[in-house]
């Protein structure tokens, strides 16, 4: 108000009629944000604020990420490899996530979903996506371009890493009996009930003489059981502690992650027993 009074003093006396007339004039609306700015944080109609992981980025980083995206159309059945640092956003249709060199389905990601390649293990399981609709549109970030942008947002990197771990775990778990003997729907029913675990190289999983807490399905890397004289290695697609859980026996030796670490899926004892009942072929596999 002081500025207004000072302005009146500088320009001289103003009649009440003039003030009343000015007050009745229509106000000038505030300028709307430019179309470029308002659309920059969306890609192909998908709002980045609603995308897992990328939605936690500040607005200016979302704008930058959107500008770096490369759009691509995938026909049904068309395959696209995802590089080691790659991140992919499905904007229309859906993709099936698979290992690079296998046909086993790991997950189906529909519009608005993210596929990330960089998981917790340094030794990555390479992934690819396959168009799973009549026409699928995706936004892709490959190489170091997205890694450089995200490096200053560690919480986003962590969230994308968890997404990658989950997809890699499902992809690797299908290399064994689950991929050979269960169809996609039954595998999905098993995966939905299991948690993803990451073990660093040499990490103790269960000590000798201890009761295994549940069933562990190795997805990538390996887990080693040793009684001091012999070692038994469990690789991608193999169950650890299956017989122990079924017979309630103790671990005969220390069980540790191998030299590469291990990515695994885990079901506590109670969940494992429920899965045996709801997915009958699983009982035979574990036996």
């Amino acid at each position: 108000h002081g500025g207004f009074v000072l302005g009146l003093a500088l320009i001289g006396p103003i009649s009440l009629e003039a003030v009343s007339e000015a007050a009745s004039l229509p106000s000038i609306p505030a300028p709307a944000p430019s179309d470029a700015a308002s659309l920059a944080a969306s890609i192909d109609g998908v709002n980045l604020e609603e995308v897992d992981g990328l939605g936690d980025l500040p607005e200016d980083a979302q704008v930058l990420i959107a500008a770096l995206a490369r759009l691509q159309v995938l026909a049904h059945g068309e395959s696209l490899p995802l590089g080691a640092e790659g991140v992919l956003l499905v904007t229309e249709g859906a993709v099936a996530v698979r290992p690079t060199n296998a046909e086993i389905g790991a997950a189906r990601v529909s519009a608005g979903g993210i596929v990330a390649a960089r998981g917790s293990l340094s030794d990555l399981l390479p992934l690819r996506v396959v168009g799973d609709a009549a026409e699928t549109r995706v936004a892709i970030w490959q190489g170091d371009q997205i890694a450089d942008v995200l490096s200053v947002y560690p919480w986003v990197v962590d969230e994308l890493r968890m997404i990658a771990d989950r997809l890699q775990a499902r992809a690797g778990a299908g290399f064994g009996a689950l991929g050979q003997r269960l169809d996609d729907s039954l595998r999905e029913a098993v995966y939905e009930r299991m948690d993803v675990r990451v073990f660093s190289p040499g990490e103790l999983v269960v000590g000798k003489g201890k009761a295994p807490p549940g069933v562990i399905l190795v997805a990538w890397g390996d887990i080693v059981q040793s009684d001091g004289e012999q070692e038994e290695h469990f690789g991608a697609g193999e169950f650890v502690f299956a017989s122990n859980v079924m017979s309630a026996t103790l671990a005969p030796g220390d069980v540790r992650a191998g030299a590469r670490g291990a990515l695994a899926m885990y079901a506590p004892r109670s969940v494992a027993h429920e899965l045996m009942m709801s997915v009958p072929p699983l009982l035979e596999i574990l036996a």
Side-chain angles (χ1 to χ4, degrees), residues 54-199:
L54 301 183
D56 292 332
L57 284 168
E59 185 176 342
D60 57 343
Q62 290 181 5
V63 170
L64 179 56
I65 286 292
L68 292 173
R70 174 172 62 88
L71 294 177
Q72 184 165 337
V73 177
L74 296 178
H76 188 274
E78 184 178 355
S79 182
L80 175 68
L82 199 61
E85 301 294 342
V87 176
L88 179 146
L89 168 65
V90 182
T91 63
E92 183 179 329
V95 298
V97 182
R98 298 176 183 171
T100 297
N101 298 317
E103 293 299 325
I104 305 163
R108 188 176 191 271
V109 180
S110 55
I114 280 282
V115 180
R118 171 58 64 183
S120 297
L121 297 185
S122 57
D123 182 18
L124 299 178
L125 169 59
L127 299 177
R128 63 190 172 104
V129 298
V130 180
D132 201 31
E135 180 178 286
T136 297
R137 296 171 62 87
V138 297
I140 312 162
W141 298 269
Q142 296 277 30
D144 295 333
Q145 60 176 190
I146 191 168
D148 291 342
V149 175
L150 297 181
S151 62
V152 293
Y153 307 107
W155 61 91
V156 175
V157 174
D158 288 343
E159 190 164 353
L160 292 175
R161 182 181 294 119
M162 287 190 290
I163 292 172
D165 284 341
R166 183 168 65 249
L167 293 174
Q168 288 190 24
R170 290 179 173 223
F175 282 128
L178 289 188
Q180 298 166 4
R181 301 175 64 177
L182 300 185
D183 61 23
D184 288 350
S185 62
L186 287 179
R187 277 202 312 278
E188 179 66 20
V190 174
Y191 294 160
E192 280 294 318
R193 299 296 307 279
M194 302 186 80
D195 297 325
V196 175
R197 294 284 181 90
V198 179
F199 299 100

Side-chain angles (χ1 to χ4, degrees), residues 248-267:
T249 56
L250 305 179
D254 285 344
V255 180
R256 296 181 180 274
R260 297 183 299 160
L263 178 64
M265 303 191 78
Y266 164 78

Side-chain angles (χ1 to χ4, degrees), residues 12-80:
I14 299 179
S15 68
L16 291 177
E17 291 80 0
V19 172
S20 175
E21 181 181 356
S24 65
L25 293 175
S27 60
I28 300 174
S34 68
D35 290 342
S38 62
L39 295 177
S42 68
I43 299 176
D44 203 19
V46 175
N47 189 339
L48 292 186
E49 290 185 349
E50 300 173 359
V51 175
D52 286 347
L54 301 183
D56 292 332
L57 284 168
E59 185 176 342
D60 57 343
Q62 290 181 5
V63 170
L64 179 56
I65 286 292
L68 292 173
R70 174 172 62 88
L71 294 177
Q72 184 165 337
V73 177
L74 296 178
H76 188 274
E78 184 178 355
S79 182
L80 175 68

